[in-house]
Amino acid sequence: MVRKATGARGRRHDADAGGDRGVLAAKAALREQVWADLDRPGVARFPKPANRIPNFVGAEAAARRLAQVEEWAPATTLKSNPDARQWPVRQRALQDGKVVYMAVPRLAEADPFFLLDPAHLADDPRTASSIKGAGRSARTVGLDALQPVDLVVTGCVGVDESGGRLGKGGGFSDLELAVAAEAGLVDARTAVVTTVHERQVLRAGVIPMSPHDVHVDLIVTPERVVRCPRSSEWTLPRIEWGDLTEEKIAAIPVLAGMRRARRRP
């Protein structure tokens, strides 16, 4: 049974991921810790990190380092979060001839992904890979128009050295990957990577993980690459319908459509 959410009218669903209350509380405390640690000159970029996937000094250097890992060159299709923090990664991907699927913020459209094809851009790769630029150079598409993805780029508030990911609390990255997995667009061969500031990297095992949480395979900072082997218990992410509120399902058309399909005889 799906729980009914409460909250202000028009809320953005950025903090209503479901799950064990103890795990959610522990993650919330870690978020506050990371946001406070980043909120200093020379580390965070505008706007302030609190309540966001933080923008950080060195994002461009991290993108350059990511482009040197062995998984980058053979990847022809990349799925990325829409945040400014991974803008340099999206730009580099287009420059390197990769097709980029960028999630529509908060999955709020019936067609929840921007399709950026480097062969058909109205603007240069930097402009086209921005959230605003994608409106000119990309078209929004549904799951049925996507091809299998070689590399997934996710934004993080924090990530630990065993691959545990900490998001803003809305569960959007988890949902994006779970939806893609159920549609057959990602599989066990698809690598999940993130670019972060060194202060966002926490010691192994610090972030409590739930079954639906994204495991990060590669952490890339301006200074280093951390590889995070998957445990023997690793499985592809799945949609945990019991952890989704009615409000959240209604706000994300692709989820509402998938649930209708599940209920058909």
Side-chain angles (χ1 to χ4, degrees):
M1 183 173 180
V2 180
R3 293 172 290 107
K4 177 69 178 176
T6 59
R9 180 180 177 84
R11 66 183 251 169
R12 289 171 42 174
H13 311 281
D14 287 346
D16 62 349
D20 180 87
R21 289 181 179 273
V23 170
L24 295 178
K27 287 183 176 180
L30 284 170
R31 279 187 205 100
E32 295 299 331
Q33 172 187 315
V34 173
W35 284 328
D37 195 34
L38 291 174
D39 192 5
R40 61 189 71 200
V43 176
R45 283 178 171 161
F46 179 85
K48 283 184 170 291
N51 302 313
R52 301 178 183 276
I53 300 295
N55 203 356
F56 61 94
V57 173
E60 295 80 7
R64 290 193 295 271
R65 189 173 292 278
L66 172 58
Q68 296 170 1
V69 304
E70 63 185 56
E71 290 86 352
W72 182 266
T76 61
T77 305
L78 180 148
K79 188 187 84 65
S80 177
N81 58 310
D83 301 288
R85 303 79 191 159
Q86 278 69 49
W87 184 4
V89 176
R90 299 192 298 270
Q91 176 185 346
R92 178 61 184 260
L94 292 177
Q95 290 171 335
D96 288 355
K98 303 181 190 301
V99 171
V100 175
Y101 300 131
M102 182 171 73
V104 172
R106 298 181 297 281
L107 301 174
E109 304 295 332
D111 293 330
F113 294 95
F114 288 111
L115 168 58
L116 285 161
D117 185 339
H120 303 283
L121 298 178
D123 297 298
D124 61 273
R126 176 165 175 78
T127 302
S129 57
S130 69
I131 296 175
K132 290 183 179 179
R136 278 173 46 87
S137 286
R139 59 189 175 92
T140 56
V141 296
L143 288 172
D144 56 348
L146 271 60
Q147 299 297 315
V149 174
D150 300 312
L151 202 63
V152 171
V153 179
T154 184
C156 299
V157 172
V159 60
D160 72 33
E161 291 180 325
S162 58
R165 177 187 175 275
L166 185 68
K168 288 188 300 183
F172 289 103
S173 288
D174 303 327
L175 282 171
E176 286 174 26
L177 198 57
V179 165
E182 294 207 11
L185 301 174
V186 301
D187 59 26
R189 296 167 294 181
T190 308
V192 178
V193 306
T194 191
T195 53
V196 292
H197 192 277
E198 274 290 334
R199 289 179 178 269
Q200 292 175 265
V201 183
L202 309 177
R203 72 178 186 276
V206 164
I207 299 174
M209 298 288 284
S210 300
H212 62 266
D213 288 338
V214 172
H215 172 88
V216 176
D217 300 303
L218 286 173
I219 304 168
V220 183
T221 78
E223 293 80 20
R224 61 175 174 148
V225 175
V226 181
R227 291 187 174 273
C228 310
R230 297 172 181 175
S231 74
S232 59
E233 299 176 355
W234 180 91
T235 60
L236 278 172
R238 61 185 183 273
I239 299 173
E240 298 289 346
W241 292 99
D243 286 345
L244 296 175
T245 64
E246 287 289 350
E247 187 179 18
K248 187 128 188 156
I249 293 171
I252 301 176
V254 67
L255 282 181
M258 292 177 79
R259 188 172 68 171
R260 284 194 298 271
R262 284 167 52 90
R263 290 177 170 177
R264 291 190 191 117

